[in-house]
């Protein structure tokens, strides 16, 4: 028989501090899992993620792929009879996972794009051509057309240590 | 004329610029003036970027809010993701003075600006419903076709509803009312209100899972006889438009509300940018 794991209140406290302040209110009714569109297609069970966070099972929750199957649709958050802010808990856990180096390659690429360009989508020649045809400015009047503005966004990235998260440089 | 700071975001101006030109034309005809937010960036996206680092997410969001504040205007967005980030960041900073101090320190060091909490963040759909009214839409929508529309609210327009307070998150009506005022019939369908599948970084990391969610919604829309899908978010728009092409056996045209209103108001079809849609729009 597998040995029961010891709860780790220290980790739970960190989750609360990172923004999951309602984690201890959960009484495991499963309304969240029953409402979850992602769980309908996969083995993702949001109730279990909350339980693991509550018990402080860091090693079960932070490296887990499940953590990244939530679309942040807020259906569980809306329906929770205990007012558990489930999406905020998922966000807190994901932030902690990323700090530990758990970031999937496609996500790292997305983060790299915003780090370099200030946008999550690239500006291609065909986009410029279509914008022109529609009577819009060829280059959107955003950081794309203002290098000084882009520098500001990059500075924020450096001040938050976000640039290091992206490159994996810890 | 009411004036708003127009927040562009990423997907609209770069992948569906027709939504941008439609929004500009439709709002002008409804008496709303838009001014560009020069130097704005990604909102940043509430799914992926907030998942990675909330302090970065809030600080870049606060920079965008500060740009509008400097313009002395409220923000208008046509995207649920941008709406969620800008609305939530403004809400957090307005209600947590300690957090505002922290974020403003980063913002000031990086940009010289601070955010003082004076900007309201508005979504295209609720702006039309509350400030312009469905009757004004009805009066202009002379060219509206009566098609069966599957209205897709997406997630972050109404939710979290405890802070957004726009409509009932389980049984909303504001978006359907506008679509019907534009001449269409909004059909009820199973599990209406379910996520398109793309959010939260799921489309980027596990596109197959995202597509399964999309397929279930498409099946439910099809079963209800939907002839067109109407969305109010470029990311949901992309997921349904590209998703149907990937799934192959689905061909229901996808319109953002701005494009639907453009058609109904009799605007030049060429300026609605429908030719970049991967699922053909022949309406």
């Amino acid at each position: 028989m597998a040995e029961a794991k010891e709860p780790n209140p220290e980790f739970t406290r960190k989750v609360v501090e990172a923004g999951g302040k309602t984690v201890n209110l959960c009484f495991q009714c499963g309304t969240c899992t029953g409402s979850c569109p992602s769980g309908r297609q996969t083995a993702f069970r949001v109730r279990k993620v909350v339980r693991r966070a509550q018990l402080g099972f860091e090693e079960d929750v932070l490296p887990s792929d499940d953590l990244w199957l939530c679309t942040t649709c807020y259906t569980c958050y809306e329906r929770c009879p205990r007012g558990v802010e489930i999406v905020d808990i998922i966000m807190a856990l994901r932030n902690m996972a990323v700090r530990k180096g758990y970031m999937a390659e496609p996500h790292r690429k997305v983060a790299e794009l915003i780090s370099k360009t200030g946008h999550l989508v690239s500006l291609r020649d065909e986009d410029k051509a279509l914008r022109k045809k529609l009577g819009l400015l060829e280059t959107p009047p955003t950081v794309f057309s203002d290098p000084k503005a882009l520098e500001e966004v990059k500075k924020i990235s450096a001040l938050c240590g976000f640039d290091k998260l992206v490159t994996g440089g810890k | 004329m009411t004036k708003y700071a127009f927040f562009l975001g990423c997907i609209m101006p770069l992948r569906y610029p027709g939504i941008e030109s439609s929004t500009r034309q439709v709002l002008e005809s409804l008496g709303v003036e838009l001014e560009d937010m020069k130097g704005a960036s990604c909102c940043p996206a509430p799914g992926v970027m907030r998942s990675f680092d909330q302090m970065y997410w809030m600080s870049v969001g606060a920079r965008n809010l500060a740009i509008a504040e400097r313009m002395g205007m409220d923000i208008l967005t046509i995207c649920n993701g941008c709406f969620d980030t800008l609305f939530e960041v403004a809400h957090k900073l307005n209600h947590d003075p300690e957090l505002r101090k922290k974020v403003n320190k980063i913002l000031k060091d990086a940009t010289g600006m601070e955010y003082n909490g004076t900007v309201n963040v508005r979504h295209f759909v609720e702006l039309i419903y509350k400030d312009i009214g469905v009757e004004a839409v009805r009066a202009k929508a002379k060219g509206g076709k009566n098609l069966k529309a599957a209205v897709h609210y997406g997630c972050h327009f109404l939710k979290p509803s405890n802070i957004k307070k726009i409509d009932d998150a389980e049984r909303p009506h504001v978006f359907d009312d506008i679509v019907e005022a534009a001449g269409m019939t909004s059909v009820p369908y199973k599990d209406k209100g379910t996520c398109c599948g793309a959010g939260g970084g799921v489309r980027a990391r596990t596109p197959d899972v995202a597509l399964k969610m999309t397929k279930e919604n498409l099946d439910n829309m099809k079963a209800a006889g939907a002839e067109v899908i109407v969305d109010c978010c470029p990311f949901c728009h992309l997921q349904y438009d590209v998703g149907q092409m990937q799934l192959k056996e689905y061909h229901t045209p996808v319109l953002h509300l701005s494009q639907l209103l453009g058609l109904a108001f009799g605007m030049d079809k060429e300026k609605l940018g429908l030719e970049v849609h991967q699922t053909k729009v022949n309406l």
Side-chain angles (χ1 to χ4, degrees):
Chain A
M1 210 173 85
E3 237 174 85
K5 275 185 232 169
E6 283 297 315
N8 175 7
E10 181 58 20
F11 179 74
T12 313
R13 200 180 51 74
K14 282 187 193 158
V15 175
V16 171
E17 273 173 16
K21 57 183 191 296
T22 51
V23 68
N24 289 313
L25 296 176
C26 172
F27 59 14
Q28 292 286 292
C29 69
T31 301
C32 50
T33 290
S35 304
C36 179
S38 188
R40 202 184 275 188
Q41 312 294 342
T42 65
F44 170 52
R45 298 293 175 259
V46 63
R47 175 184 65 82
K48 290 192 178 178
V49 172
V50 176
R51 185 61 173 157
R52 285 167 188 155
Q54 218 173 31
L55 290 171
F57 291 171
E58 181 175 352
E59 284 313 307
D60 288 338
V61 71
L62 293 191
S64 158
D65 286 337
D66 277 4
L67 194 51
W68 298 93
L69 286 170
C70 165
T71 66
T72 72
C73 78
Y74 281 97
T75 311
C76 58
Y77 181 113
E78 294 283 331
R79 294 179 182 171
C80 176
R82 293 281 291 161
V84 180
E85 295 161 343
I86 303 162
V87 178
D88 295 351
I89 295 167
I90 298 271
M91 288 296 160
L93 293 168
R94 284 182 176 184
N95 279 204
M96 294 164 93
V98 166
R99 291 269 160 195
K100 289 242 167 196
Y102 299 112
M103 193 189 229
E105 187 53 23
H107 279 171
R108 205 194 51 74
K109 282 200 175 127
V110 167
E112 198 176 15
L113 195 59
I114 193 177
S115 255
K116 281 188 181 155
T117 69
H119 279 289
L120 282 180
V121 180
S122 60
L123 173 63
R124 308 164 300 186
D125 287 343
E126 65 211 81
D127 306 321
K128 287 189 189 172
L130 178 59
R131 290 184 58 82
K132 192 177 173 189
K133 193 178 151 203
L134 293 172
L136 301 167
L137 290 169
E138 263 186 53
T139 300
T142 62
V143 285
F144 275 136
S145 50
D146 186 346
K148 258 180 73 187
L150 178 58
E151 273 318 303
E152 291 181 2
V153 179
K154 284 184 174 174
K155 259 190 219 166
I156 293 175
S157 180
L159 288 169
C160 297
F162 185 74
D163 51 345
K164 288 204 182 70
L165 286 180
V166 177
T167 54
K170 285 183 230 166
Chain B
M1 222 179 194
T2 334
K3 227 173 171 183
Y4 286 91
F6 188 25
F7 187 79
L8 300 182
C10 301
I11 299 174
M12 173 186 77
L14 301 164
R15 292 297 175 267
Y16 295 101
I19 298 176
E20 184 180 334
S21 54
S22 308
T23 302
R24 290 181 189 274
Q25 292 180 80
V26 164
L27 285 182
E28 194 188 340
S29 78
L30 290 170
V32 177
E33 203 178 327
L34 299 176
E35 194 163 315
D36 289 331
M37 291 177 63
K38 294 198 175 72
S41 64
C42 175
C43 53
V48 276
M49 302 317 295
R50 189 184 169 199
S51 295
F52 300 157
D53 189 283
Q54 302 204 64
M55 195 45 92
Y56 174 75
W57 171 71
M58 281 187 283
S59 305
V60 177
R63 179 181 172 274
N64 287 322
L65 292 167
I67 291 173
E69 193 166 65
R70 202 171 52 187
M71 294 163 72
M73 289 174 203
D74 288 340
I75 289 180
L76 178 86
T77 164
I78 53 70
C79 171
N80 289 1
C82 302
F83 180 62
D84 189 54
T85 285
L86 299 172
F87 190 100
E88 282 215 43
V89 170
H91 182 84
K92 283 179 198 294
L93 299 184
N94 287 349
H95 290 85
D96 186 341
E98 277 306 304
L99 184 67
R100 183 145 115 201
K101 219 185 273 174
K102 266 192 216 167
V103 169
N104 268 338
K105 168 96 177 60
I106 294 169
L107 193 59
K108 189 146 201 207
D109 287 352
T111 71
M113 293 188 289
E114 283 188 30
Y115 178 59
N116 300 307
T118 63
V119 176
N120 293 305
V121 181
R122 307 294 306 269
H123 188 292
F124 184 64
V125 173
E126 56 95 21
L127 177 87
I128 290 180
Y129 188 83
K130 287 186 196 157
D131 294 19
I132 297 166
V134 290
E135 288 317 316
V137 172
R138 209 183 311 277
K140 283 214 176 299
K142 300 293 179 215
K145 279 191 190 168
N146 187 4
L147 297 173
K148 287 180 185 163
V151 174
H152 176 80
Y153 280 79
C155 304
H156 300 118
F157 165 42
L158 301 174
K159 299 179 278 186
S161 64
N162 59 340
I163 63 165
K164 292 196 174 130
K165 299 186 170 82
I166 295 167
D167 199 351
D168 184 330
E170 297 279 355
R171 283 175 187 76
H173 64 88
V174 293
F175 191 5
D176 304 86
D177 292 358
I178 300 169
V179 170
E180 297 219 316
M184 296 209 172
T185 302
S186 171
V187 291
Y189 59 93
K190 187 176 170 233
D191 292 338
K192 182 174 164 179
T194 305
C195 175
C196 69
V202 172
R203 186 177 194 270
R205 195 177 196 267
T206 43
D208 53 322
V209 174
L211 204 55
K212 278 183 189 166
M213 285 184 249
T214 313
K215 184 181 182 302
E216 190 167 334
N217 287 341
L218 287 167
D219 286 334
N220 291 335
M221 291 167 174
K222 214 172 174 178
E227 296 164 291
V228 59
I229 298 167
V230 188
D231 63 80
C232 59
C233 169
F235 201 26
C236 306
H237 187 90
L238 176 102
Q239 184 62 14
Y240 283 120
D241 181 38
V242 177
Q244 289 191 79
M245 189 264 296
Q246 291 167 331
L247 290 164
K248 292 190 174 71
E249 72 270 34
Y250 299 86
H251 310 283
T252 311
V254 183
L255 294 177
H256 185 275
L257 178 65
S258 59
Q259 294 171 313
L260 169 68
L261 295 181
L263 285 172
F265 291 3
M267 287 166 183
D268 180 3
K269 267 191 189 176
E270 295 285 306
K271 297 283 181 214
L272 304 178
L274 300 170
E275 77 262 29
V276 289
H277 289 210
Q278 311 234 358
T279 301
K280 287 280 156 279
V281 184
N282 296 314
L283 297 173

